[in-house]
PDB file of all heavy atoms in Angstrom:
ATOM      1  N   PHE A  36       3.321  16.475 -47.306  1.00 98.00           N
ATOM      2  CA  PHE A  36       4.115  15.427 -47.969  1.00 98.00           C
ATOM      3  C   PHE A  36       3.421  14.934 -49.229  1.00 98.00           C
ATOM      4  O   PHE A  36       2.231  15.201 -49.446  1.00 98.00           O
ATOM      5  CB  PHE A  36       4.390  14.250 -47.015  1.00 98.00           C
ATOM      6  CG  PHE A  36       3.231  13.294 -46.887  1.00 98.00           C
ATOM      7  CD1 PHE A  36       3.245  12.066 -47.554  1.00 98.00           C
ATOM      8  CD2 PHE A  36       2.117  13.608 -46.126  1.00 98.00           C
ATOM      9  CE1 PHE A  36       2.182  11.176 -47.454  1.00 98.00           C
ATOM     10  CE2 PHE A  36       1.044  12.732 -46.030  1.00 98.00           C
ATOM     11  CZ  PHE A  36       1.079  11.512 -46.693  1.00 98.00           C
ATOM     12  N   GLU A  37       4.179  14.202 -50.009  1.00 98.00           N
ATOM     13  CA  GLU A  37       3.671  13.537 -51.210  1.00 98.00           C
ATOM     14  C   GLU A  37       4.342  12.171 -51.328  1.00 98.00           C
ATOM     15  O   GLU A  37       5.516  12.019 -50.969  1.00 98.00           O
ATOM     16  CB  GLU A  37       4.020  14.340 -52.477  1.00 98.00           C
ATOM     17  CG  GLU A  37       3.122  15.512 -52.732  1.00 98.00           C
ATOM     18  CD  GLU A  37       1.680  15.107 -53.037  1.00 98.00           C
ATOM     19  OE1 GLU A  37       1.449  14.113 -53.747  1.00 98.00           O
ATOM     20  OE2 GLU A  37       0.776  15.808 -52.555  1.00 98.00           O
ATOM     21  N   THR A  38       3.621  11.212 -51.852  1.00 98.00           N
ATOM     22  CA  THR A  38       4.199   9.926 -52.225  1.00 98.00           C
ATOM     23  C   THR A  38       3.935   9.727 -53.714  1.00 98.00           C
ATOM     24  O   THR A  38       2.778   9.749 -54.149  1.00 98.00           O
ATOM     25  CB  THR A  38       3.557   8.767 -51.427  1.00 98.00           C
ATOM     26  OG1 THR A  38       3.693   9.054 -50.028  1.00 98.00           O
ATOM     27  CG2 THR A  38       4.235   7.442 -51.744  1.00 98.00           C
ATOM     28  N   HIS A  52       2.152  15.984 -58.580  1.00 98.00           N
ATOM     29  CA  HIS A  52       2.438  15.803 -57.143  1.00 98.00           C
ATOM     30  C   HIS A  52       3.070  17.072 -56.562  1.00 98.00           C
ATOM     31  O   HIS A  52       2.763  17.466 -55.431  1.00 98.00           O
ATOM     32  CB  HIS A  52       3.368  14.609 -56.939  1.00 98.00           C
ATOM     33  CG  HIS A  52       2.679  13.287 -57.037  1.00 98.00           C
ATOM     34  ND1 HIS A  52       1.973  12.739 -55.994  1.00 98.00           N
ATOM     35  CD2 HIS A  52       2.571  12.407 -58.060  1.00 98.00           C
ATOM     36  CE1 HIS A  52       1.470  11.566 -56.363  1.00 98.00           C
ATOM     37  NE2 HIS A  52       1.813  11.338 -57.611  1.00 98.00           N
ATOM     38  N   ARG A  55       0.412  19.557 -56.019  1.00 98.00           N
ATOM     39  CA  ARG A  55      -0.422  19.223 -54.858  1.00 98.00           C
ATOM     40  C   ARG A  55       0.331  19.503 -53.554  1.00 98.00           C
ATOM     41  O   ARG A  55      -0.277  19.929 -52.559  1.00 98.00           O
ATOM     42  CB  ARG A  55      -0.894  17.766 -54.936  1.00 98.00           C
ATOM     43  CG  ARG A  55      -2.008  17.456 -53.961  1.00 98.00           C
ATOM     44  CD  ARG A  55      -2.601  16.082 -54.168  1.00 98.00           C
ATOM     45  NE  ARG A  55      -1.636  15.021 -53.950  1.00 98.00           N
ATOM     46  CZ  ARG A  55      -1.898  13.726 -54.125  1.00 98.00           C
ATOM     47  NH1 ARG A  55      -3.106  13.340 -54.547  1.00 98.00           N
ATOM     48  NH2 ARG A  55      -0.983  12.822 -53.900  1.00 98.00           N
ATOM     49  N   LYS A 137      -2.527  17.071 -47.923  1.00 98.00           N
ATOM     50  CA  LYS A 137      -1.740  15.911 -47.462  1.00 98.00           C
ATOM     51  C   LYS A 137      -0.757  16.415 -46.404  1.00 98.00           C
ATOM     52  O   LYS A 137       0.375  16.784 -46.695  1.00 98.00           O
ATOM     53  CB  LYS A 137      -1.024  15.256 -48.644  1.00 98.00           C
ATOM     54  CG  LYS A 137      -1.952  14.320 -49.423  1.00 98.00           C
ATOM     55  CD  LYS A 137      -1.231  13.567 -50.509  1.00 98.00           C
ATOM     56  CE  LYS A 137      -0.306  12.497 -50.008  1.00 98.00           C
ATOM     57  NZ  LYS A 137      -0.984  11.224 -49.732  1.00 98.00           N
ATOM     58  N   TYR A 141      -1.087  12.230 -39.952  1.00 96.00           N
ATOM     59  CA  TYR A 141      -1.947  11.154 -40.461  1.00 96.00           C
ATOM     60  C   TYR A 141      -2.460  10.230 -39.352  1.00 96.00           C
ATOM     61  O   TYR A 141      -2.950   9.133 -39.643  1.00 96.00           O
ATOM     62  CB  TYR A 141      -1.185  10.350 -41.535  1.00 96.00           C
ATOM     63  CG  TYR A 141      -1.673  10.658 -42.955  1.00 96.00           C
ATOM     64  CD1 TYR A 141      -1.854  11.976 -43.372  1.00 96.00           C
ATOM     65  CD2 TYR A 141      -1.968   9.649 -43.857  1.00 96.00           C
ATOM     66  CE1 TYR A 141      -2.312  12.268 -44.639  1.00 96.00           C
ATOM     67  CE2 TYR A 141      -2.427   9.937 -45.138  1.00 96.00           C
ATOM     68  CZ  TYR A 141      -2.596  11.250 -45.527  1.00 96.00           C
ATOM     69  OH  TYR A 141      -3.059  11.540 -46.787  1.00 96.00           O
ATOM     70  N   ASN A 144      -6.045   8.898 -39.726  1.00 98.00           N
ATOM     71  CA  ASN A 144      -6.167   7.911 -40.810  1.00 98.00           C
ATOM     72  C   ASN A 144      -5.653   6.541 -40.358  1.00 98.00           C
ATOM     73  O   ASN A 144      -6.289   5.511 -40.592  1.00 98.00           O
ATOM     74  CB  ASN A 144      -5.365   8.372 -42.036  1.00 98.00           C
ATOM     75  CG  ASN A 144      -5.862   9.692 -42.591  1.00 98.00           C
ATOM     76  OD1 ASN A 144      -6.161  10.605 -41.836  1.00 98.00           O
ATOM     77  ND2 ASN A 144      -5.975   9.793 -43.894  1.00 98.00           N
ATOM     78  N   GLU A 170     -13.086   8.004 -48.821  1.00 98.00           N
ATOM     79  CA  GLU A 170     -11.840   7.473 -49.386  1.00 98.00           C
ATOM     80  C   GLU A 170     -11.288   6.473 -48.376  1.00 98.00           C
ATOM     81  O   GLU A 170     -11.885   6.259 -47.323  1.00 98.00           O
ATOM     82  CB  GLU A 170     -10.835   8.613 -49.599  1.00 98.00           C
ATOM     83  CG  GLU A 170     -10.490   9.343 -48.294  1.00 98.00           C
ATOM     84  CD  GLU A 170      -9.622  10.577 -48.460  1.00 98.00           C
ATOM     85  OE1 GLU A 170      -9.000  10.739 -49.520  1.00 98.00           O
ATOM     86  OE2 GLU A 170      -9.570  11.375 -47.509  1.00 98.00           O
ATOM     87  N   GLY A 171     -10.138   5.868 -48.680  1.00 98.00           N
ATOM     88  CA  GLY A 171      -9.436   5.066 -47.685  1.00 98.00           C
ATOM     89  C   GLY A 171      -8.436   5.943 -46.956  1.00 98.00           C
ATOM     90  O   GLY A 171      -8.215   7.097 -47.357  1.00 98.00           O
ATOM     91  N   PRO A 172      -7.815   5.435 -45.888  1.00 98.00           N
ATOM     92  CA  PRO A 172      -6.836   6.236 -45.151  1.00 98.00           C
ATOM     93  C   PRO A 172      -5.633   6.633 -46.001  1.00 98.00           C
ATOM     94  O   PRO A 172      -4.983   7.639 -45.745  1.00 98.00           O
ATOM     95  CB  PRO A 172      -6.412   5.314 -44.003  1.00 98.00           C
ATOM     96  CG  PRO A 172      -7.577   4.382 -43.830  1.00 98.00           C
ATOM     97  CD  PRO A 172      -8.115   4.162 -45.220  1.00 98.00           C
ATOM     98  N   THR A 173      -5.327   5.842 -47.046  1.00 98.00           N
ATOM     99  CA  THR A 173      -4.201   6.165 -47.939  1.00 98.00           C
ATOM    100  C   THR A 173      -4.530   5.822 -49.399  1.00 98.00           C
ATOM    101  O   THR A 173      -3.623   5.590 -50.191  1.00 98.00           O
ATOM    102  CB  THR A 173      -2.922   5.388 -47.529  1.00 98.00           C
ATOM    103  OG1 THR A 173      -3.211   3.967 -47.578  1.00 98.00           O
ATOM    104  CG2 THR A 173      -2.420   5.748 -46.157  1.00 98.00           C
ATOM    105  N   PHE A 174      -5.799   5.793 -49.753  1.00 98.00           N
ATOM    106  CA  PHE A 174      -6.151   5.422 -51.128  1.00 98.00           C
ATOM    107  C   PHE A 174      -7.517   5.986 -51.506  1.00 98.00           C
ATOM    108  O   PHE A 174      -8.321   6.347 -50.647  1.00 98.00           O
ATOM    109  CB  PHE A 174      -6.140   3.891 -51.306  1.00 98.00           C
ATOM    110  CG  PHE A 174      -6.910   3.135 -50.256  1.00 98.00           C
ATOM    111  CD1 PHE A 174      -8.281   2.954 -50.369  1.00 98.00           C
ATOM    112  CD2 PHE A 174      -6.266   2.600 -49.135  1.00 98.00           C
ATOM    113  CE1 PHE A 174      -8.996   2.249 -49.404  1.00 98.00           C
ATOM    114  CE2 PHE A 174      -6.974   1.899 -48.157  1.00 98.00           C
ATOM    115  CZ  PHE A 174      -8.340   1.728 -48.292  1.00 98.00           C
ATOM    116  N   CYS A 175      -7.742   6.056 -52.811  1.00 98.00           N
ATOM    117  CA  CYS A 175      -9.052   6.486 -53.307  1.00 98.00           C
ATOM    118  C   CYS A 175      -9.923   5.248 -53.552  1.00 98.00           C
ATOM    119  O   CYS A 175      -9.417   4.121 -53.589  1.00 98.00           O
ATOM    120  CB  CYS A 175      -8.903   7.288 -54.597  1.00 98.00           C
ATOM    121  SG  CYS A 175      -8.317   6.326 -55.995  1.00 98.00           S
ATOM    122  N   VAL A 194      -8.637  13.752 -50.277  1.00 98.00           N
ATOM    123  CA  VAL A 194      -7.433  14.060 -51.058  1.00 98.00           C
ATOM    124  C   VAL A 194      -7.797  13.994 -52.542  1.00 98.00           C
ATOM    125  O   VAL A 194      -8.513  13.085 -52.978  1.00 98.00           O
ATOM    126  CB  VAL A 194      -6.314  13.043 -50.713  1.00 98.00           C
ATOM    127  CG1 VAL A 194      -5.185  13.101 -51.730  1.00 98.00           C
ATOM    128  CG2 VAL A 194      -5.788  13.289 -49.304  1.00 98.00           C
ATOM    129  N   ASP A 195      -7.330  14.981 -53.296  1.00 98.00           N
ATOM    130  CA  ASP A 195      -7.574  14.991 -54.749  1.00 98.00           C
ATOM    131  C   ASP A 195      -6.565  14.008 -55.378  1.00 98.00           C
ATOM    132  O   ASP A 195      -5.532  14.403 -55.922  1.00 98.00           O
ATOM    133  CB  ASP A 195      -7.414  16.422 -55.284  1.00 98.00           C
ATOM    134  CG  ASP A 195      -7.836  16.527 -56.732  1.00 98.00           C
ATOM    135  OD1 ASP A 195      -8.214  15.502 -57.333  1.00 98.00           O
ATOM    136  OD2 ASP A 195      -7.761  17.644 -57.274  1.00 98.00           O
ATOM    137  N   SER A 196      -6.912  12.735 -55.262  1.00 98.00           N
ATOM    138  CA  SER A 196      -5.992  11.641 -55.630  1.00 98.00           C
ATOM    139  C   SER A 196      -5.586  11.693 -57.100  1.00 98.00           C
ATOM    140  O   SER A 196      -6.429  11.814 -57.995  1.00 98.00           O
ATOM    141  CB  SER A 196      -6.690  10.308 -55.337  1.00 98.00           C
ATOM    142  OG  SER A 196      -6.146   9.269 -56.113  1.00 98.00           O
ATOM    143  N   ILE A 197      -4.294  11.572 -57.330  1.00 98.00           N
ATOM    144  CA  ILE A 197      -3.781  11.606 -58.706  1.00 98.00           C
ATOM    145  C   ILE A 197      -4.108  10.284 -59.416  1.00 98.00           C
ATOM    146  O   ILE A 197      -4.387  10.266 -60.613  1.00 98.00           O
ATOM    147  CB  ILE A 197      -2.279  11.967 -58.677  1.00 98.00           C
ATOM    148  CG1 ILE A 197      -2.175  13.446 -58.291  1.00 98.00           C
ATOM    149  CG2 ILE A 197      -1.599  11.695 -60.027  1.00 98.00           C
ATOM    150  CD1 ILE A 197      -0.826  13.925 -57.862  1.00 98.00           C
ATOM    151  N   SER A 198      -4.140   9.187 -58.679  1.00 98.00           N
ATOM    152  CA  SER A 198      -4.552   7.913 -59.282  1.00 98.00           C
ATOM    153  C   SER A 198      -6.006   8.006 -59.724  1.00 98.00           C
ATOM    154  O   SER A 198      -6.387   7.516 -60.789  1.00 98.00           O
ATOM    155  CB  SER A 198      -4.427   6.767 -58.271  1.00 98.00           C
ATOM    156  OG  SER A 198      -3.227   6.863 -57.583  1.00 98.00           O
ATOM    157  N   ARG A 199      -6.818   8.614 -58.884  1.00 98.00           N
ATOM    158  CA  ARG A 199      -8.239   8.774 -59.184  1.00 98.00           C
ATOM    159  C   ARG A 199      -8.413   9.588 -60.459  1.00 98.00           C
ATOM    160  O   ARG A 199      -9.177   9.236 -61.347  1.00 98.00           O
ATOM    161  CB  ARG A 199      -8.899   9.452 -57.974  1.00 98.00           C
ATOM    162  CG  ARG A 199     -10.329   9.821 -58.095  1.00 98.00           C
ATOM    163  CD  ARG A 199     -10.701  10.664 -56.864  1.00 98.00           C
ATOM    164  NE  ARG A 199     -11.994  11.270 -57.030  1.00 98.00           N
ATOM    165  CZ  ARG A 199     -12.245  12.275 -57.867  1.00 98.00           C
ATOM    166  NH1 ARG A 199     -11.286  12.793 -58.594  1.00 98.00           N
ATOM    167  NH2 ARG A 199     -13.467  12.753 -57.958  1.00 98.00           N
ATOM    168  N   CYS A 232      -7.234   2.410 -55.162  1.00 98.00           N
ATOM    169  CA  CYS A 232      -5.960   2.660 -55.857  1.00 98.00           C
ATOM    170  C   CYS A 232      -5.231   3.803 -55.153  1.00 98.00           C
ATOM    171  O   CYS A 232      -5.852   4.609 -54.465  1.00 98.00           O
ATOM    172  CB  CYS A 232      -6.227   3.051 -57.312  1.00 98.00           C
ATOM    173  SG  CYS A 232      -4.736   3.061 -58.334  1.00 98.00           S
ATOM    174  N   SER A 233      -3.914   3.834 -55.308  1.00 98.00           N
ATOM    175  CA  SER A 233      -3.115   4.983 -54.873  1.00 98.00           C
ATOM    176  C   SER A 233      -1.848   4.996 -55.709  1.00 98.00           C
ATOM    177  O   SER A 233      -1.619   4.092 -56.510  1.00 98.00           O
ATOM    178  CB  SER A 233      -2.760   4.882 -53.388  1.00 98.00           C
ATOM    179  OG  SER A 233      -1.744   3.920 -53.200  1.00 98.00           O
ATOM    180  N   SER A 234      -1.017   5.999 -55.470  1.00 98.00           N
ATOM    181  CA  SER A 234       0.187   6.159 -56.293  1.00 98.00           C
ATOM    182  C   SER A 234       1.158   4.988 -56.171  1.00 98.00           C
ATOM    183  O   SER A 234       1.971   4.779 -57.069  1.00 98.00           O
ATOM    184  CB  SER A 234       0.906   7.449 -55.902  1.00 98.00           C
ATOM    185  OG  SER A 234       0.115   8.540 -56.294  1.00 98.00           O
ATOM    186  N   VAL A 235       1.129   4.274 -55.068  1.00 98.00           N
ATOM    187  CA  VAL A 235       2.042   3.132 -54.935  1.00 98.00           C
ATOM    188  C   VAL A 235       1.274   1.820 -54.774  1.00 98.00           C
ATOM    189  O   VAL A 235       1.734   0.882 -54.115  1.00 98.00           O
ATOM    190  CB  VAL A 235       3.071   3.332 -53.790  1.00 98.00           C
ATOM    191  CG1 VAL A 235       4.098   4.380 -54.198  1.00 98.00           C
ATOM    192  CG2 VAL A 235       2.400   3.739 -52.495  1.00 98.00           C
TER     193      VAL A 235
HETATM  194  C1  PLP B   1      -6.173  10.042 -47.706  1.00 85.28           C
HETATM  195  C2  PLP B   1      -5.695   9.655 -49.065  1.00 85.28           C
HETATM  196  N1  PLP B   1      -6.605   9.494 -50.036  1.00 85.28           N
HETATM  197  C3  PLP B   1      -6.232   9.138 -51.297  1.00 85.28           C
HETATM  198  C4  PLP B   1      -4.909   8.905 -51.601  1.00 85.28           C
HETATM  199  C5  PLP B   1      -4.513   8.511 -52.999  1.00 85.28           C
HETATM  200  O1  PLP B   1      -3.863   9.581 -53.627  1.00 85.28           O
HETATM  201  P1  PLP B   1      -2.870   9.347 -54.835  1.00 85.28           P
HETATM  202  O2  PLP B   1      -3.616   8.582 -55.858  1.00 85.28           O
HETATM  203  O3  PLP B   1      -2.538  10.721 -55.295  1.00 85.28           O
HETATM  204  O4  PLP B   1      -1.708   8.592 -54.310  1.00 85.28           O
HETATM  205  C6  PLP B   1      -3.935   9.068 -50.626  1.00 85.28           C
HETATM  206  C7  PLP B   1      -2.533   8.818 -50.953  1.00 85.28           C
HETATM  207  O5  PLP B   1      -1.686   8.711 -50.127  1.00 85.28           O
HETATM  208  C8  PLP B   1      -4.331   9.456 -49.328  1.00 85.28           C
HETATM  209  O6  PLP B   1      -3.439   9.606 -48.353  1.00 85.28           O
END
Side-chain angles (χ1 to χ4, degrees):
F36 80 103
E37 281 295 320
T38 305
H52 282 279
R55 194 172 63 183
K137 279 185 72 84
Y141 254 47
N144 299 42
E170 60 187 343
T173 59
F174 50 84
C175 67
V194 166
D195 188 358
S196 157
I197 289 165
S198 316
R199 175 189 169 288
C232 191
S233 75
S234 292
V235 288

